[in-house]
């Protein structure tokens, strides 16, 4: 077993979530990823993806959370 931390844009996360849920890539917009959220995935040797947690923002204060924080 190996643990890998990937820090990436939400589009990559949504792409992996669509794959995990066996949805077409056109459905990536159906998955919400807030800024600074954590999504944990387990990828098996055969390439299947299991979602452990999705769009977790519990590490942020209430002022830092919400749908898509606006850029200043």
């Amino acid at each position: 077993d190996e643990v890998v931390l990937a820090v990436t844009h939400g589009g990559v996360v949504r792409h992996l979530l669509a794959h995990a849920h066996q949805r077409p890539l056109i459905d990536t917009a159906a998955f919400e990823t807030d800024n600074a959220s954590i999504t944990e995935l387990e990828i098996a040797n055969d390439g299947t993806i299991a979602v452990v947690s999705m769009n977790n923002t519990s590490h942020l204060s209430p002022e830092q959370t919400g749908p898509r924080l606006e850029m200043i």
Side-chain angles (χ1 to χ4, degrees), residues 43-70:
I43 303 175
N45 290 334
D46 66 359
T48 57
I49 301 174
V51 179
V52 177
S53 67
M54 184 170 70
N55 199 35
N56 181 345
T57 57
S58 64
H59 58 286
L60 301 173
S61 69
E63 299 84 36
Q64 297 172 311
T65 60
R68 308 254 162 78
L69 301 174
E70 291 185 31

Side-chain angles (χ1 to χ4, degrees), residues 11-71:
V12 175
V13 174
R14 289 189 300 275
H15 177 93
L16 290 168
L17 288 170
H19 181 73
H21 291 280
Q22 300 178 348
R23 306 255 312 257
L25 293 181
I26 196 140
D27 287 349
T28 56
F31 298 99
E32 207 150 315
T33 54
D34 292 323
N35 289 339
S37 66
I38 297 173
T39 296
E40 186 178 354
L41 307 170
E42 286 185 2
I43 303 175
N45 290 334
D46 66 359
T48 57
I49 301 174
V51 179
V52 177
S53 67
M54 184 170 70
N55 199 35
N56 181 345
T57 57
S58 64
H59 58 286
L60 301 173
S61 69
E63 299 84 36
Q64 297 172 311
T65 60
R68 308 254 162 78
L69 301 174
E70 291 185 31
M71 300 294 288

